[in-house]
Amino acid sequence: MRKLEGSFPKREQKVADYVLGNLERVVYLRLNEIAEASGVSDATVNRFCQTLGCAGFKDFRISIAQNVAVSLQYLGGPSDELSPKDQLVTQVFGALIDTLNLARNQLDTGPLQAAIKAMAAANRVAFYGVGGSSANVAREGANRLFRLGIPAEAHSDGYLQRMLASTLDEGDVLFTVSSSGSPAELLDSVAIAQQYGAQTISLTKTASDLARATQISIEVDLPEDQDIFKPTSSRLVFIAIIDVLATGIARARSEIVKEKLRRIRSSLAPLSKDVGPKPVGD
């Protein structure tokens, strides 16, 4: 509508003006109510819908209802004034600290310890995530565990996830990550892996479908900031939880882990003058 603004026939432009000025209300109005509010005929409203590429008014109302909730967050555009640097630091760091504290108060040590025990004894751990944030957290999980002497991999493609899940056996672990706990790809992979005896773990939203589907569920309920320009805090909270698990696994396998870390540091020694001890994640 914004792209076509000014190019509509005169009467249809009246409808466009009314719709753009009442986006949240329009989805609840009937055709004749929009026509009356716009000062045009019912036929003009129907032609307006067809000009937009809709089959008719019913199709138009469905389309706008599906998009208006998301679009309203962006149609206003960003402020012309940039926030001062210190304000940005306070905003982003403050939200992260608040979310970390919230997660710390929600975490149940029982599932954390169960997950540590399962992965510390695993023959193989596969981390699954769908979408940008969850996929990155899954990759970080695999990055942490291979250093501890545990064969680990991460995958985000749904087809590959299903195929790999079918190769997991008893003694293997499938670790799924999802802030919503609803992706069908993860739920399907969990069912497949459990069918063949693999243990399943989730890091996800409290009481979600994924939490209920897995044998061990690490659950947190984290509200997202309404600022569309600020990265999500939950991604970093999930990575912090992965760090907690990696630390617990390292301590549970201390002798093996020390040898693996020694080998890793030795392999990197020729590349750096810094030969001091490094943390698990380095």
Side-chain angles (χ1 to χ4, degrees):
M1 279 187 284
R2 292 193 183 280
K3 287 182 179 179
L4 292 174
E5 196 167 7
S7 64
F8 286 106
K10 185 176 180 179
R11 291 185 177 278
E12 290 182 31
Q13 184 63 55
K14 290 183 177 181
V15 181
D17 291 342
Y18 178 78
V19 171
L20 286 171
N22 299 272
L23 283 171
E24 293 179 275
R25 185 165 176 251
V26 162
V27 295
Y28 303 106
L29 298 179
R30 294 189 293 271
L31 185 150
N32 67 308
E33 291 174 323
I34 294 176
E36 183 178 349
S38 304
V40 298
S41 66
D42 291 1
T44 298
V45 175
N46 204 51
R47 285 195 299 272
F48 164 78
C49 297
Q50 292 170 344
T51 299
L52 291 175
C54 301
F57 179 72
K58 183 178 179 180
D59 186 28
F60 164 76
R61 191 161 66 172
I62 292 173
S63 296
I64 201 168
Q66 290 173 336
N67 287 278
V68 71
V70 172
S71 298
L72 282 175
Q73 300 176 52
Y74 301 91
L75 289 176
S79 171
D80 293 333
E81 297 183 2
L82 294 176
S83 299
K85 186 181 296 184
D86 58 343
Q87 183 177 339
L88 289 175
V89 170
T90 299
Q91 180 187 16
V92 175
F93 277 56
L96 176 56
I97 292 168
D98 290 343
T99 310
L100 280 167
N101 283 327
L102 180 62
R104 180 171 60 180
N105 293 330
Q106 291 181 10
L107 285 171
D108 185 342
T109 56
L112 287 172
Q113 291 300 325
I116 288 169
K117 182 178 179 181
M119 289 191 286
N123 298 321
R124 174 188 184 191
V125 179
F127 288 87
Y128 285 7
V130 176
S133 293
S134 296
N136 286 331
V137 175
R139 280 191 287 269
E140 187 61 15
N143 177 51
R144 289 286 187 259
L145 257 64
F146 90 83
R147 302 166 190 273
L148 310 182
I150 301 172
E153 56 199 298
H155 299 283
S156 59
D157 178 81
Y159 278 80
L160 184 56
Q161 288 174 345
R162 292 175 67 96
M163 291 189 291
L164 181 63
S166 68
T167 71
L168 298 177
D169 295 306
E170 187 174 349
D172 297 331
V173 171
L174 174 59
F175 191 111
T176 53
V177 182
S178 173
S179 58
S180 68
S182 60
E185 297 95 329
L186 299 184
L187 293 169
D188 290 345
S189 293
V190 165
I192 293 169
Q194 288 181 169
Q195 177 183 348
Y196 295 107
Q199 195 156 15
T200 56
I201 304 172
S202 62
L203 173 53
T204 189
K205 184 177 181 179
T206 301
S208 63
D209 291 341
L210 186 59
R212 288 189 289 268
T214 51
Q215 294 155 321
I216 301 170
S217 60
I218 302 167
E219 304 177 30
V220 286
D221 191 3
L222 306 175
E224 290 296 348
D225 197 311
Q226 296 304 306
D227 185 347
I228 61 173
F229 299 108
K230 188 177 72 60
T232 174
S233 297
S234 62
R235 170 179 56 90
L236 295 177
V237 172
F238 275 17
I239 289 177
I241 295 172
I242 291 291
D243 285 349
V244 170
L245 296 172
T247 303
I249 294 167
R251 289 177 175 169
R253 296 165 50 92
S254 59
E255 294 306 313
I256 295 173
V257 168
K258 281 192 288 187
E259 172 59 17
K260 298 301 182 185
L261 294 180
R262 184 196 66 78
R263 294 184 189 182
I264 292 172
R265 291 298 298 148
S266 295
S267 74
L268 297 176
L271 306 178
S272 173
K273 295 180 180 179
D274 182 4
V275 296
K278 296 293 182 182
V280 169
D282 196 351

